[in-house]
Amino acid sequence: MDAGLAYDGSTRSDYASTKPQADAAWIKSVEEGSPAWEAGLEPGMRVDSVNGHALLDIIDWRWEASDDVAELEVFVPEGIGEESGAFLCTLEREAGQDWGVEFTDVLFDGIRTCVNACQFCFMRMLPDDARASLMLRDDDYRLSFMQGNFVTLTNVSDEDLQRIIDCRLEPMNVSIHAVSPDVRRGLIGRHAQRGIDVLEALCDAGLEVHGQIVLCAGINDGDELTRTLDWVEARPNITSLAIVPMGYTKYSRQFSHSFSEDVEASREVVRIIEPYQRRARETLGITRFQLSDEFYVDAELPVPAAETYDGYPQFYDGIGMLRSFLDEAADLCAAEGDRLVALARCLQTESAAAGASGPAVLCVCGEAALDVFDAYFAMWAQVCERGGAEPCAEARAIRNDYYGGDVNVTGLIVSCDLLAQLPEDLTGRVVVLPEVMFNFDKMTLDGDTQEHILSELASRGARCVVCTPSPRSIADALEGRDEECCE
Ligand code: SF4
């Protein structure tokens, strides 16, 4: 078999959801006319083995069923199909054809949880009434490969390690944090060394790794940060390293400050990393060592140019989101000015007719993103001014009282803060809600539903759109909110 498994993310699971985890390879759907359908497979059946091999997860399925013939052992529960019990079947397909079967989950044996006791663990800083699913401390190398989750590798067995290497499950996303044994042990717990040993083995085997450091002031910054950067610099398989500041909530018993309150400490981190970035650019042509957006905001420095981000390999770790947002806003305003003017005119007309005053659109974000949202709407307002239209949108940052501390990102906005801080009178206004504040079940972190929030805001006179919080998605969503508008 070829080295490397392509994973397209189509069967992504949601571990913050309220759904129970799968305990086996249960079939969720079968495409009509597909090889799986021809062989008699149906939703609700369970695949116990392929070519004699039991399946742990979707990686096994793809690996074992990679040829054009597969022998399956299938279990049929009562009520599914004509006869219950176990049966054998043979699947055959044309070269390149999909089997046409989808499973209820990507992991068939449950999720692996972590064996660590990280000082900075966000789970230790949650309120008592936090949803149980938020307390799930996953640390599963398979989700690192399939979904980009960061893992510590401290719970990886020798057998797992061999599997990662044999199947070339890369890139692996690994939390490194620190390399000195005593600092690692103090920061992560007694299994810390195992993580570094496994990471060394992955590097020796030539697998690509994306690394991450959660930086805790006074623990793994300063000289320890330099040691960790040196260690990473000497291992070219680690193609990107993200450094993010520790965040804390008001429920933390250990932390009450971080880089967010310390401009000088944030600037020091920027100074420490710059020589590593310079050397990587000179020798490899990439920046490789990346600071999260928060460091530049906390240091009161401009975010770097797009080229610095090497194609944004750690975008979802908060690396380059602000730069990407600003560049997208500038591109949109430059390239689609007429469209934005027409949209603004339409929104303002509707809003004024409904009895609102001021900008028609109120766009919700976290406090950390307020400056870039303001910048976007200022650019849009300039375009409107040139086109003879009124500015139509303003940003509204929601302060995170629920978590407190220095939590200020858009993805952690909760319902109780949102509803308490938005105006009681929203007559005629369009409220744009960021979809990242909801999980796949459309629930917020404090357990409210999207449906309830939309109905509450409707009772205040607002119409709502929910979209990705990016300039183009916001414009698209506003345009699509009403079929007759802006035609
Ligand atoms: S690895 Fe550390 S931070 Fe992550 S869940 Fe476990 S204890 Fe928490």
Side-chain angles (χ1 to χ4, degrees), residues 195 409 438:
V409 296
F438 302 102

Side-chain angles (χ1 to χ4, degrees), residues 226-365:
T226 304
R227 270 191 288 278
T228 310
L229 296 175
D230 287 343
W231 191 91
V232 169
E233 192 173 39
R235 286 158 182 80
N237 299 70
I238 304 176
T239 56
S240 73
L241 179 74
I243 300 152
V244 304
M246 182 208 69
Y248 65 93
T249 75
K250 64 185 178 187
Y251 300 98
S252 171
R253 294 196 184 97
Q254 184 175 353
F255 299 104
S256 56
H257 80 281
S258 188
F259 293 93
S260 53
E261 294 95 4
D262 197 334
V263 177
E264 256 323 297
S266 302
R267 288 188 178 176
E268 178 59 14
V269 176
V270 176
R271 276 193 290 273
I272 287 176
I273 200 163
E274 277 173 346
Y276 293 90
Q277 294 178 317
R278 226 176 4 251
R279 285 198 292 275
R281 266 187 236 119
E282 282 164 11
T283 55
L284 304 168
I286 55 171
T287 308
R288 201 177 165 215
F289 297 87
Q290 306 278 6
L291 288 178
S292 74
D293 297 343
E294 291 131 294
F295 274 114
Y296 294 102
V297 173
D298 297 343
E300 298 175 359
L301 294 170
V303 287
E307 311 82 79
T308 311
Y309 290 105
D310 305 336
Y312 301 100
Q314 300 223 26
F315 185 80
Y316 291 104
D317 204 18
I319 311 290
M321 281 183 170
L322 297 184
R323 169 49 60 205
S324 165
F325 187 101
L326 288 168
D327 288 356
E328 188 181 318
D331 288 350
L332 181 69
C333 290
E336 298 181 40
D338 290 348
R339 178 189 163 208
L340 290 180
V341 169
L343 178 57
R345 203 172 275 131
C346 171
L347 287 161
Q348 282 302 107
T349 305
E350 280 182 352
S351 162
S357 58
V361 177
L362 195 155
C363 192
V364 166
C365 63

Side-chain angles (χ1 to χ4, degrees), residues 93-136:
R93 65 179 175 184
E94 304 291 325
Q97 194 182 9
D98 195 82
W99 289 122
V101 62
E102 192 184 349
F103 295 97
T104 58
D105 210 326
V106 294
L107 303 180
F108 307 150
D109 61 348
I111 193 168
R112 306 240 185 129
T113 51
C114 97
V115 293
N116 306 316
C118 299
Q119 290 189 41
F120 54 82
C121 183
F122 199 68
M123 320 282 169
R124 292 165 67 158
M125 306 186 199
L126 292 176
D128 291 341
D129 61 349
R131 279 209 322 270
S133 58
L134 290 180
M135 307 298 272
L136 178 65

Side-chain angles (χ1 to χ4, degrees), residues 463-480:
R463 287 171 302 148
C464 292
V465 294
V466 181
C467 67
T468 306
S470 76
R472 194 172 294 280
S473 299
I474 291 168
D476 290 349
L478 287 169
E479 228 167 21

